[in-house]
């Protein structure tokens, strides 16, 4: 499970995603951008990304489709309060489900877990666990969730954005932009405990001080796709691609009932 969270964090950080559910950041992006939802093909790249940031901030949620690397899957992501992130993917050929609500991470029970925790569907991990792998993994996933916030990601990418061209994505015309984002700028926008923020910053900087992200924005100023190479992948490997669909239609996933949850400590005591 640690591989799942850490792998996802690596993939998302290499994509240059910024992230925070902090309402102030989204508001600033909206105030500095042109009118949301009114596309203008003549906008310079920086202003185009800020306009898209405002649109995505207002949308507040999306269905994510992740392809490439080792983390193919889907996610229901709500970045406006009450925020939640439900990801379904595969690890070593097995279905894996991860849910993040508040400061709590839940991992779907595998067949092996179910054998020692009858009737339980989720194992809980908390970012408040100051020590051990459980707390580290939950903290890593919390950072990953924030790194994928599209409104903050676009705002962070805007200052260095350049125009690549116009392409067709998912059957619709989209303008392709590319940006180099500083890791320090990503971290600055993350709403995390200072100790956890320092830990994440050190981890991301192992991959370099900057990251490259490609962004595709449609005529409605909506982010429809982002892509980046995985720095740990073999040469010639396909880049990881994240598609954004069903904007504003995805509802927050509630935390599971206490009767369905067991802790890592419970599992270790079996």
């Amino acid at each position: 499970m640690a591989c799942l969270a850490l792998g996802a964090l690596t993939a998302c950080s290499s994509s240059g995603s910024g992230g925070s559910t902090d309402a102030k950041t989204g508001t600033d992006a909206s105030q500095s951008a042109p009118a949301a939802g009114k596309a203008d093909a003549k906008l310079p790249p920086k202003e185009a990304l800020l306009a898209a940031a405002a649109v995505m901030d207002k949308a507040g949620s999306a269905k994510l489709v992740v392809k490439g690397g080792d983390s193919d899957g889907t996610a229901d992501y709500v970045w406006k309060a009450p925020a939640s992130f439900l990801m379904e993917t595969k690890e070593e050929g097995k279905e894996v489900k991860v849910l993040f609500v508040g400061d709590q991470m839940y991992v779907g029970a595998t067949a092996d877990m179910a054998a020692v925790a009858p009737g339980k569907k989720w194992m809980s991990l908390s970012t408040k666990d100051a020590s051990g792998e459980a707390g580290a993994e939950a903290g890593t996933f919390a950072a990953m969730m924030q790194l994928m916030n599209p409104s903050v990601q676009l705002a962070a990418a805007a200052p260095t954005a350049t125009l690549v061209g116009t392409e067709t994505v998912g059957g619709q015309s989209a303008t392709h932009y590319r940006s180099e984002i500083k890791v320090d700028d990503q971290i600055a926008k993350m709403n995390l405990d200072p100790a956890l923020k320092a830990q994440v910053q050190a981890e991301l900087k192992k991959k370099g001080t900057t990251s490259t992200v490609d962004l595709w924005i449609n005529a409605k100023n909506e982010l429809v796709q982002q892509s980046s190479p995985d720095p740990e992948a073999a040469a010639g490997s396909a880049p990881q691609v994240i598609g954004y669909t069903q904007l504003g239609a995805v509802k927050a996933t509630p935390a599971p009932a206490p009767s369905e949850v067991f802790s890592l400590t419970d599992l270790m005591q079996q």
Side-chain angles (χ1 to χ4, degrees):
M1 291 174 295
C3 294
L4 171 66
L6 289 171
L9 175 60
T10 298
C12 294
S13 65
S14 69
S15 72
S17 308
S20 169
T21 53
D22 182 29
K24 181 179 183 300
T25 306
T27 301
D28 291 345
S30 299
Q31 292 176 343
S32 59
K38 297 180 180 180
D40 186 344
K42 297 181 181 180
L43 284 177
K46 178 180 178 179
E47 284 70 22
L49 265 64
L50 290 175
V55 169
M56 298 303 285
D57 182 65
K58 183 177 180 180
S61 69
K63 168 76 75 172
L64 276 55
V65 179
V66 184
K67 296 182 179 180
D70 297 325
S71 54
D72 285 18
T74 62
D76 288 349
Y77 184 22
V78 178
W79 51 90
K80 277 195 172 182
S84 67
F85 189 97
L86 175 62
M87 183 176 183
E88 297 184 38
T89 184
K90 285 188 176 182
E91 184 179 350
E92 298 179 350
K94 297 180 180 179
E95 297 289 340
V96 177
K97 184 180 292 187
V98 179
L99 170 63
F100 207 99
V101 180
D103 59 8
Q104 202 75 24
M105 175 181 174
Y106 302 91
V107 179
T110 63
D112 291 341
M113 293 178 187
V116 295
K120 306 295 185 180
K121 298 180 180 179
W122 299 92
M123 181 177 73
S124 64
L125 303 172
S126 176
T127 58
K128 293 181 179 179
D129 185 346
S131 61
E133 183 179 339
E137 182 174 352
T140 298
F141 200 85
M144 186 211 74
M145 185 176 81
Q146 292 194 33
L147 282 166
M148 296 183 79
N149 183 323
S151 60
V152 179
Q153 169 194 353
L154 287 158
T160 59
T162 58
L163 176 65
V164 178
T166 301
E167 301 167 14
T168 300
V169 177
Q172 61 183 310
S173 178
T175 304
H176 181 182
Y177 301 93
R178 181 168 295 144
S179 181
E180 293 285 336
I181 306 177
K182 294 181 179 179
V183 170
D184 287 341
D185 291 342
Q186 292 177 315
I187 298 300
K189 295 182 180 296
M190 296 175 67
N191 183 24
L192 294 173
D193 175 88
L196 180 56
K197 183 178 287 190
Q199 173 187 330
V200 173
Q201 184 175 34
E203 183 66 29
L204 294 184
K205 282 194 170 182
K206 290 179 182 179
K207 311 297 187 297
T209 58
T210 63
S211 56
T212 302
V213 60
D214 286 82
L215 304 156
W216 287 261
I217 298 171
N218 68 12
K220 297 179 181 179
N221 285 333
E222 298 168 338
L223 177 65
V224 294
Q225 181 176 281
Q226 65 108 331
S227 177
S228 67
D230 182 346
E232 295 186 343
S237 298
Q240 185 174 61
V241 177
I242 300 177
Y244 294 81
T245 64
Q246 301 179 36
L247 299 185
V250 176
K251 305 301 181 184
T253 304
S259 60
E260 298 179 332
V261 177
F262 63 98
S263 68
L264 181 61
T265 300
D266 295 334
L267 190 64
M268 298 298 290
Q269 290 177 346
Q270 298 295 322

